[in-house]
């Protein structure tokens, strides 16, 4: 079932990318740019949210990373779940910043102006790819909250089991 879901997601992503290139050839860059800016803002927000999660959940790990002494707790095995969206959001931000400076330059090259429709399609294809990637990262930011909820549920179950056993012992 999981494999089928993954295949459907990949096929939908490919269809969106194909449509982005095909129909994007008719969308002027001036209309595409606000979408790039919105994506840049979303990537920046994800980066900030993940940074906050890191500071809240792994303060000891962050202290160690910056050379400050730790109080000894070493339960940092899930830090990659948080780091991956931050790293990928950074890559997306860098790409978007580069597009912001390269697009006006490329518009000045006469040879490229002859193929404007193709470059519009490529630009919109890039926008589709980065947007799908950002959607995946947004979904990935849910995982830490789910991990916290799962751990809290286990703690509650453990506490109720201890309370139940304590009650049995007292009788």
């Amino acid at each position: 079932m999981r494999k089928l879901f993954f295949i459907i997601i990949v096929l939908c992503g490919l269809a969106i990318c194909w449509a982005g290139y095909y129909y994007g050839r008719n969308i002027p860059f001036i209309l595409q740019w606000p979408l790039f800016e919105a994506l840049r803002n979303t990537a920046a927000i994800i980066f900030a949210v993940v940074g906050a999660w890191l500071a809240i959940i792994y303060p000891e790990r962050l202290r160690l990373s910056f050379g400050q002494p730790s109080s000894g707790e070493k339960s940092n095995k899930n830090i990659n779940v948080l780091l991956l969206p931050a790293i990928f959001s950074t890559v997306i931000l860098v790409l978007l910043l580069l597009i912001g400076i390269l697009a006006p330059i490329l518009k000045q090259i006469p040879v490229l102006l002859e193929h404007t429709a193709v470059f519009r399609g490529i630009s919109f294809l890039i926008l589709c790819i980065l947007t799908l990637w950002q959607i995946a990262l947004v979904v990935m930011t849910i995982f830490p909250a789910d991990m916290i909820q799962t751990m809290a549920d286990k703690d509650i179950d453990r506490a109720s089991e201890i309370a139940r056993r304590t009650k049995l012992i007292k009788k």
Side-chain angles (χ1 to χ4, degrees):
M1 185 67 175
R2 184 180 262 180
K3 200 174 209 179
L4 178 64
F5 177 74
F6 182 74
I7 290 170
I8 290 170
I9 294 295
V10 168
L11 290 176
C12 286
L14 290 173
I16 289 170
C17 289
W18 175 84
Y21 173 76
Y22 185 78
Y23 294 108
R25 295 178 302 173
N26 299 320
I27 302 171
F29 189 75
I30 197 154
L31 295 177
Q32 293 181 21
W33 185 244
L35 300 172
F36 278 104
E37 285 180 333
L39 184 58
R40 185 180 62 205
N41 292 338
T42 303
I45 290 168
I46 294 300
F47 185 80
V49 166
V50 169
W53 273 110
L54 281 169
I56 292 167
I57 298 173
Y58 297 108
E60 293 301 314
R61 180 74 245 158
L62 291 175
R63 276 192 206 100
L64 279 174
S65 298
F66 290 104
Q68 296 178 2
S70 170
S71 66
E73 190 176 324
K74 302 277 191 241
S75 62
N76 299 318
K77 62 184 175 187
N78 295 319
I79 198 165
N80 288 336
V81 174
L82 285 170
L83 275 179
L84 203 58
I87 291 167
F88 286 151
S89 286
T90 304
V91 171
I92 289 172
L93 281 168
V94 167
L95 292 173
L96 291 168
L97 292 170
L98 286 173
I99 289 169
I101 61 170
L102 289 178
I105 293 170
L106 295 175
K107 285 180 169 182
Q108 303 303 313
I109 301 173
V111 175
L112 299 180
L113 290 175
E114 298 171 14
H115 306 286
T116 301
V118 171
F119 285 104
R120 284 179 182 167
I122 291 170
S123 172
F124 210 79
L125 171 63
I126 291 169
L127 179 64
C128 290
I129 291 168
L130 292 177
T131 300
L132 291 172
W133 192 8
Q134 191 65 57
I135 289 169
L137 293 175
V138 168
V139 171
M140 286 175 71
T141 61
I142 295 170
F143 296 151
D146 181 55
M147 287 172 27
I148 291 170
Q149 182 64 48
T150 302
M151 289 170 66
D153 290 345
K154 285 180 182 178
D155 288 345
I156 290 169
D157 291 345
R158 212 175 294 124
S160 355
E161 181 64 23
I162 290 170
R164 187 184 65 78
R165 288 182 182 186
T166 304
K167 195 180 210 183
L168 288 174
I169 292 172
K170 287 182 181 179
K171 286 185 177 182

